[in-house]
Amino acid sequence: MGNIFRSYREDPLIDEGTDQSEPNVSDGGIDIPDIIGSYGPWQRKIFLLAFFASFPNSWNALVMSLFAPNVEHWCRRPNLYNNFSNAEWKNYAIPLIDDGSRFSRCKMYDLETVDYLQPPDHNLTIACAAWEYDHSQYRATIVEKWNLVCSKEWLVSLSQSIYMAGFLVAVFVFGQLADRFGRRPIILVCITLNIVAGLLTSFSTNYVMFTILRFIVALGVAGSWTTSFVLVMEVVGAKQRPVLGVAIQLGWATAYVVLGAIGWLLKDWFYIQLSISIPSIAMALSWWILPESPRLLLTLGRLKEAEEVLQKAMKENGRNICDLKTVIKQIKEQIDNEKTKRVNKTALDLLKTPNMRNKTLNIYFCWFVNAFVYFGLSLNTNNLGGNPYVNFLISGAVELPSCFVTIFILNYFGRKKPTTFAMLVGGLGCLLTIPIPEGLTWLRITLAMLGKACITASFAIIYVFSAEIFPTVVRNVGVGSSSTCARIGSMIAPFVKEVGTATNTGVPLGIFGGLSVLSGLLVLLLPETSNSPIPDTLEEGENFGKSGNHRSINPRGTQNQHHVENYSTQPENSLTDSSVFN
């Protein structure tokens, strides 16, 4: 192979230059990064696209906390009582509940039975026909616009759940379309969906229209982000994938903080929606600079297009190969061989043997809990007390150090122990928040944010952890089905608030904390994957982790060490398929 390559330099972060060394291809074959370099200017622009694609994804997933906050409201006064101040009206006409600690939001005394200014009968209450809202924190919300309170309060959670369902649908639909027609056109279609539906959402005239348009927005932002993410993973080297995979999460966290600032400045759901939709127009301009995935082009047999893309990538990265056509044919053969090995493999294959079944169900539960707790805490910041905008900003800000720390942890502390530690500490932080009295709001917020930071870290680690546990032949299916469990968790999370409303405000945090602790303990049953050979076959996957022997995964007793060093040589591993990141 040495006569084909003129230059190659394997650098941990950037491959550019013209060192006269040969590629380390071994018996694992050649991969795209072996030709264009693991990471250079060409890959950097794709990474930046995925980074900024996470902005609208984060904004639209979390913005319901600003659209439909826990805003104070009470029964509207008849015109006869317009001269009453808010305090006077509440003291006169609104009954006290919860042992006299707060005014009712849904009932008032029946004033039709008494004369004007006469004391009402406190034994006669009626349901509100209309409401007044507190505007001290929010100028306009969808809660006030469509009176999503009292018997209609659950519609807020339903709308958010439908949005998450759109995310799930997007991954399946656009994942298949991206595999068939290419990453590039699907990214543009999804960005267009986001722009059109997002702008129309601002002008929604009713709740149903708002919810349907939000579902379409979810299709757009989820499809563009996941496809962009996969495109990054397909063009960078194996050593860069864990780092860049977590680094892209910084885009989500950065957008989270920016959204809090937008909400604080605007305080009106109409203008907030416009402000998070218009920037996507700039994303559409990426069509002219965004390349297609050379791996996908080879998979689809579009060799000439793949050659053109690779030539441009090599030029930008300062690489050169004397016989590119020969190398392209070799990679195409490898991809075809890998596809043949994975034919007819489904998620059911992960459940046929006991050890693989236990690991799979454990990972499924972990993904479910991580998404459930993450979105539950993110959407619950209004109920922690204090300034809701400050809480939202802090909730986003804690994710930034979590992402940086996670990159360090992955390199030095493995996968299992950090995941367990993060989930246990995060869960305990949620549980300890429950008994804190009202006067210690700062402590309640601190513990809740500790839980948020930890669950953010574990969510990032579980992506890499899962990809290393599932065997190569079912890795795409394994991580994809795991992520589907996460989407189910995110769909259920909004309704936990309703449980708290019906019972006690501490119940949601108790549910989040309890499940996080339970899943963290179950993770201890999984094998450590750091610095271990990655299983290729289902038989190796079944043996991996048995009796604490995490390295002897080969049924014949021999370790395939090249799987450790040349993870990137597997043409379609867990990080290179659009069905994975659900």
Side-chain angles (χ1 to χ4, degrees), residues 343-560:
V343 66
N344 297 327
K345 300 297 182 182
T346 69
L348 294 178
D349 291 292
L350 295 168
L351 305 176
K352 290 180 178 179
T353 54
N355 186 38
M356 196 70 245
R357 179 168 56 247
N358 291 338
K359 290 186 293 184
T360 298
L361 294 177
N362 196 337
I363 292 172
Y364 282 176
F365 184 65
C366 188
W367 277 77
F368 172 87
V369 171
N370 270 272
F372 178 74
V373 176
Y374 176 85
F375 283 102
L377 290 175
S378 297
L379 299 172
N380 197 48
T381 55
N382 288 309
N383 298 322
L384 295 175
N387 189 304
Y389 295 108
V390 173
N391 293 348
F392 194 94
L393 282 167
I394 295 174
S395 182
V398 298
E399 293 194 17
L400 292 171
S402 290
C403 291
F404 283 113
V405 171
T406 300
I407 295 174
F408 173 80
I409 287 173
L410 284 172
N411 288 328
Y412 294 97
F413 294 97
R415 319 290 190 247
K416 182 169 73 172
K417 291 181 180 179
T419 304
T420 296
F421 178 81
M423 298 194 75
L424 288 179
V425 174
L428 290 174
C430 293
L431 293 174
L432 292 174
T433 304
I434 299 173
I436 296 176
E438 291 292 331
L440 295 175
T441 301
W442 65 271
L443 183 57
R444 180 188 297 111
I445 294 174
T446 299
L447 289 174
M449 292 304 103
L450 174 64
K452 178 69 182 306
C454 288
I455 207 67
T456 298
S458 65
F459 211 163
I461 297 172
I462 196 64
Y463 270 91
V464 179
F465 198 7
S466 302
E468 294 173 340
I469 283 181
F470 290 119
T472 301
V473 293
V474 285
R475 189 168 295 127
N476 293 330
V477 171
V479 183
S481 55
S482 298
S483 194
T484 299
C485 294
R487 298 285 71 77
I488 295 173
S490 64
M491 290 169 61
I492 298 175
F495 289 101
V496 178
K497 182 183 69 173
E498 312 306 323
V499 177
T501 301
T503 55
N504 184 279
T505 55
V507 171
L509 289 170
I511 295 173
F512 297 145
L515 286 177
S516 184
V517 169
L518 175 60
S519 182
L521 293 174
L522 289 175
V523 167
L524 290 173
L525 301 177
L526 296 172
E528 177 58 71
T529 60
S530 179
N531 298 320
S532 295
I534 296 171
D536 279 337
T537 66
L538 285 170
E539 188 175 3
E540 289 180 357
E542 172 63 16
N543 291 330
F544 186 39
K546 276 189 175 179
S547 302
N549 185 3
H550 302 160
R551 287 188 172 274
S552 299
I553 61 173
N554 191 296
R556 294 181 299 277
T558 60
Q559 291 184 20
N560 295 325

Side-chain angles (χ1 to χ4, degrees), residues 50 146 211 292 376:
W146 297 307
T211 301
E292 183 54 87

Side-chain angles (χ1 to χ4, degrees), residues 9 11 14-19 37 39-41 44 316-319:
R9 180 164 64 93
D11 182 272
I14 298 178
D15 274 336
E16 47 189 3
T18 56
D19 288 3
Y39 185 75
R44 191 178 298 122
E316 291 188 29
N317 286 352
R319 305 294 297 252

Side-chain angles (χ1 to χ4, degrees), residues 2-16:
N3 63 331
I4 296 177
F5 289 80
R6 289 182 179 172
S7 67
Y8 181 88
R9 180 164 64 93
E10 180 67 24
D11 182 272
L13 288 178
I14 298 178
D15 274 336
E16 47 189 3

